[in-house]
Amino acid sequence: MGVVIERVTYPARNIGTNIVANLFRPAGFDSRRKYAAIVVTHPFGGVKEQTAGLYAARLAEQGFLTLAYDASYQGRAAASRG
């Protein structure tokens, strides 16, 4: 099995919206182990499925736990009010 991608949401501080993200788990992920984690952001005007998602997936292939998210008011985060 390869990298596993899970969609997650969490409240954005002080702005009344939710952040929508993709959590990338490396192949063979074991919740009992500790992993180095990296948060990957996208360029202005982008969304998590573009550049950030590509980098997050590649880093997860290398064994990192990664999170790529849509910035507030962009992508799914724009449509996800808290």
Side-chain angles (χ1 to χ4, degrees):
M1 178 168 33
V3 171
V4 174
I5 305 169
E6 176 186 356
R7 182 176 168 201
V8 297
T9 61
Y10 53 93
R13 287 192 206 175
N14 305 321
I15 60 173
T17 63
N18 289 321
I19 300 297
V20 181
N22 288 333
L23 178 64
F24 294 77
R25 292 188 176 119
F29 177 79
D30 180 352
S31 62
R32 297 169 293 183
R33 285 188 48 212
K34 290 187 178 186
Y35 293 83
I38 300 172
V39 175
V40 184
T41 61
H42 58 74
F44 182 75
V47 294
K48 67 186 175 304
E49 291 83 9
Q50 295 172 328
T51 306
L54 296 174
Y55 283 112
R58 184 70 175 127
L59 290 164
E61 289 172 359
Q62 302 302 313
F64 293 95
L65 185 65
T66 59
L67 183 78
Y69 67 93
D70 285 332
S72 298
Y73 306 108
Q74 295 186 38
R76 292 267 184 211
S80 181
R81 298 281 179 197

